Amino acid sequence: AALMAFGAVAASDAFLEQQEVQAVCDGAALAAANATDEAAVYATGVGTALPLTRASTQAAVADQLADGGTVLHSWSTETDGAEVTVRCTRYVEIAFGWLFLGGQPLERTAVAGARAPTTP
């Protein structure tokens, strides 16, 4: 019975950690989707979406994460010029991790995407 209770606590802790990483990643994706490449806007104008570049999205994510205070062990961005995908990874210690994970941290990875449409 105690092992089941410890397992439930560990699973709840892992779930809450995943939710936190997902929330951080969602916020970073939204920030990146609003990171318009101003040079591209001035060169080609605005169509149905704000033009995004890898450099503009990475800078926006870095700023968002620095302001948020949540530590991630790695993150990356990908963009097709109109939509951005952000992948965030963090290794966490969970309750009773010594029992279920042999003392190793648990990897929590989240993926979020966002698109910043404009009105025609």
Side-chain angles (χ1 to χ4, degrees):
L3 188 59
M4 287 177 52
F6 291 161
V9 170
S12 295
D13 196 15
F15 174 78
L16 292 174
E17 291 289 349
Q18 180 66 37
Q19 293 296 97
E20 183 176 348
V21 172
Q22 186 66 56
V24 168
C25 206
D26 289 343
L30 289 174
N34 288 316
T36 304
D37 184 344
E38 292 179 15
V41 169
Y42 290 126
T44 62
V46 175
T48 59
L50 297 173
L52 304 172
T53 62
R54 186 174 179 93
S56 70
T57 59
Q58 286 180 339
V61 169
D63 287 344
Q64 177 72 17
L65 294 176
D67 291 343
T70 300
V71 175
L72 294 177
H73 291 93
S74 66
W75 59 269
S76 63
T77 65
E78 296 176 17
T79 184
D80 62 4
E83 186 171 344
V84 64
T85 302
V86 180
R87 177 180 295 273
C88 306
T89 300
R90 184 167 97 173
Y91 296 92
V92 296
E93 298 291 333
I94 61 168
F96 306 109
W98 55 269
L99 179 62
F100 297 107
L101 302 173
Q104 299 296 317
L106 180 64
E107 179 184 322
R108 300 282 77 191
T109 298
V111 177
R115 179 181 180 91
T118 59
T119 55

